[in-house]
Amino acid sequence: MKFFIDTGDVAEIREAQAQGIIDGVTTNPSLVAKTGRKYKDVVTEICEIVDGPISAEVLSTDLEGMLREGRAWAKVHRNIVVKIPLIPDGLKAVRILKQEGTRCNVTLCFSPSQAILAAKAGAAYISPFIGRLDDVSETGMDLIEKIVTIYNNYTFDTEVLVASVRNPTHVVDAAMLGADVCTVPWSVLQQLIKHPLTDVGLKKFIEDGKKIPV
Ligand code: G3P
């Protein structure tokens, strides 16, 4: 399973990149708004840090606007993946952008039927938001299981990108189900690394190491 980091914070991306744990980056308007920076500036800097798929989202919701923004994003860097919302005009935009050679990540997916349509339209990635389903008393991971099964049934090329990840269990469950990608916030990446027995064991090794005659 590939790991993307889900953030607009370039300091987090630099640190994760140095740890060698990320294959790409996803952003969205909410994450970039937190930085106080211009969206294009943030994405351009990210493209200099990570050599992998970088998702940048359109803000328009009409076909013409999404195509205009998508084409502009595609010119920023060859690694840009245009993030398009799962709405009727969004599917049209995905189809046209794909014909032009631009990869799209279809975002805000909350049902298997939406995921089927995104794949039919030619999405490179589908982003089911599992945490937000958990928030409304549904089991987000059930959606991942259904989409993985459906895509495998028909050998769709679309990659399942698990989004709205809130905890390490989401990541492990996504891997167990065979999801292609998990996009993970910095805080969860750090939780994945930590284990109390690692800390206890390391402390003991350090203490015992001091007892070894030099
Ligand atoms: O990748 C989508 C993600 O940024 C949304 O996460 O926690 O706002 O539902 P969240």
Side-chain angles (χ1 to χ4, degrees):
M1 186 172 69
K2 284 169 275 188
F3 266 105
F4 292 174
I5 185 169
D6 192 31
T7 186
D9 184 332
V10 292
E12 292 176 354
I13 294 168
R14 284 184 197 286
E15 184 63 20
Q17 171 73 359
Q19 290 176 356
I21 55 178
I22 53 166
D23 305 292
V25 181
T26 51
T27 66
N28 65 39
S30 306
L31 292 170
V32 175
K34 284 187 205 164
T35 70
R37 301 177 64 197
K38 290 185 181 165
Y39 204 160
K40 189 176 173 189
D41 291 350
V42 170
V43 169
T44 302
E45 191 173 343
I46 292 171
C47 289
E48 288 162 8
I49 303 168
V50 178
D51 185 18
I54 313 294
S55 286
E57 189 156 343
V58 298
L59 304 179
S60 299
T61 53
D62 62 298
L63 178 59
E64 199 180 312
M66 285 188 273
L67 288 175
R68 186 183 62 252
E69 288 184 54
R71 286 167 182 150
W73 276 128
K75 284 188 187 137
V76 170
H77 196 279
R78 63 182 161 77
N79 283 342
I80 298 274
V81 176
V82 179
K83 222 168 162 186
I84 303 271
L86 215 161
I87 55 177
D89 270 4
L91 295 178
K92 292 181 202 167
V94 169
R95 180 173 155 270
I96 294 168
L97 289 169
K98 185 183 180 187
Q99 284 167 353
E100 295 174 3
T102 297
R103 291 175 299 162
C104 293
N105 171 359
V106 176
T107 189
L108 290 166
C109 171
F110 293 97
S111 76
S113 57
Q114 289 181 313
I116 293 169
L117 297 184
K120 294 292 288 181
Y125 299 94
I126 183 70
S127 286
F129 276 32
I130 58 167
R132 293 192 192 183
L133 283 170
D134 290 352
D135 289 344
V136 295
S137 304
E138 289 190 38
T139 304
M141 207 50 70
D142 288 350
L143 175 59
I144 302 303
E145 186 170 16
K146 285 178 184 166
I147 298 173
V148 168
T149 301
I150 292 166
Y151 281 10
N152 285 343
N153 281 348
Y154 297 101
T155 59
F156 284 122
D157 291 335
T158 307
E159 293 191 48
V160 180
L161 193 168
V162 180
S164 186
V165 165
R166 303 277 175 76
N167 57 58
T169 304
H170 279 159
V171 178
V172 174
D173 287 349
M176 294 285 289
L177 290 171
D180 300 286
V181 191
C182 205
T183 190
V184 187
W186 172 249
S187 56
V188 176
L189 280 176
Q190 296 318 292
Q191 287 176 312
L192 287 166
I193 295 170
K194 290 289 281 182
H195 196 288
L197 289 179
T198 303
D199 297 340
V200 169
L202 181 59
K203 188 163 176 273
K204 178 90 168 80
F205 283 154
I206 291 169
E207 283 165 7
D208 289 345
K210 289 177 189 156
K211 298 173 194 163
I212 299 172
V214 283

